[in-house]
Amino acid sequence: PPPPPPPPPPPPGTSPWPTFAGGPRHTGENPTETGRPPLSPAWSATISSTYPLSPAVVWNERIVVSVLSWGSTEKRVCALNLNDGVTTWTRDFGNVFGVGHPTVADGRVYVQQCNQTPGTFLWCLNEATGGTLWSSAVPAQWSRYWAPTVVGESVVVNGGSYEGLYGYRASNGALLYFNSTLEQYDEWSPTFDGNTVYSFVGG
């Protein structure tokens, strides 16, 4: 008998997963999840790379991932159509040290790109096109960045030449604050609960 038809694609905008562990609290809880077991694959897509991908994030009609290729020539962020996996846009950051995990919020993709100082930036991209909305310089050495944490009008990230915690304005990238008292570790994403930012560093 012929194989059963694939399940219908999810409606646009359902089951968002905008950042590492689902939300700024990083709990893995998604109160708007619409999927229920048993689940079956709807499609698959191939992103040509010899390197691993970041955790996927979902917003509106797109899935966004970055290629985690520290020190190589592959420095990309890719957006795929949620309904069929077709690539919507690709942003190539060129010959830099690396690109971190993306976060999507309110139609914008936030991602850090590292190439020591003065070549390291927090980028804000248009979620539909991949075009630049703004970028802000971040002092750095050779860091590997996890997902920015976006809460309202704030974007909070790991950064600094000797690491630390930066806050930026989500609308225009203006610097809000820098806390330099944290130990020198990268590969972490700050969490947010209530009106407090938390970080865990040092393994």
Side-chain angles (χ1 to χ4, degrees):
T14 60
S15 302
W17 191 263
T19 190
F20 175 75
R25 293 174 62 194
H26 300 340
T27 61
E29 178 185 7
N30 187 359
T32 62
E33 176 59 57
T34 59
R36 296 289 181 265
L39 302 176
S40 58
W43 51 261
S44 64
T46 299
I47 295 177
S48 179
S49 175
T50 56
Y51 297 92
L53 302 178
S54 67
V57 295
V58 178
W59 183 270
N60 198 9
E61 296 184 33
R62 263 164 285 281
I63 297 171
V64 182
V65 296
S66 55
V67 177
L68 301 180
S69 54
W70 310 106
S72 83
T73 58
E74 296 185 35
K75 307 300 186 321
R76 306 193 310 275
V77 175
C78 304
L80 290 74
N81 186 287
L82 178 66
N83 297 314
D84 56 19
V86 173
T87 299
T88 304
W89 54 260
T90 298
R91 178 63 181 263
D92 190 338
F93 285 88
N95 187 24
V96 298
F97 174 69
V99 176
H101 300 191
T103 290
V104 187
D106 300 323
R108 298 173 176 180
V109 177
Y110 300 90
V111 64
Q112 287 175 275
Q113 160 262 308
C114 182
N115 203 41
Q116 206 177 25
T117 300
T120 297
F121 296 89
L122 170 64
W123 293 84
C124 178
L125 309 177
N126 184 297
E127 174 260 339
T129 67
T132 301
L133 297 176
W134 54 257
S135 64
S136 290
V138 182
Q141 295 185 51
W142 305 111
S143 297
R144 292 171 165 87
Y145 295 125
W146 282 14
T149 297
V150 182
V151 180
E153 261 295 286
S154 298
V155 185
V156 188
V157 297
N158 166 219
S161 296
Y162 296 95
E163 307 306 332
L165 184 75
Y166 276 92
Y168 293 89
R169 190 172 302 282
S171 59
N172 59 15
L175 179 65
L176 298 175
Y177 57 83
F178 173 53
N179 184 317
S180 63
T181 63
L182 301 179
E183 297 177 25
Q184 190 175 7
Y185 292 96
D186 59 4
E187 296 186 273
W188 54 271
S189 178
T191 67
F192 182 90
D193 188 40
N195 198 34
T196 304
V197 176
Y198 299 86
S199 66
F200 177 78
V201 299

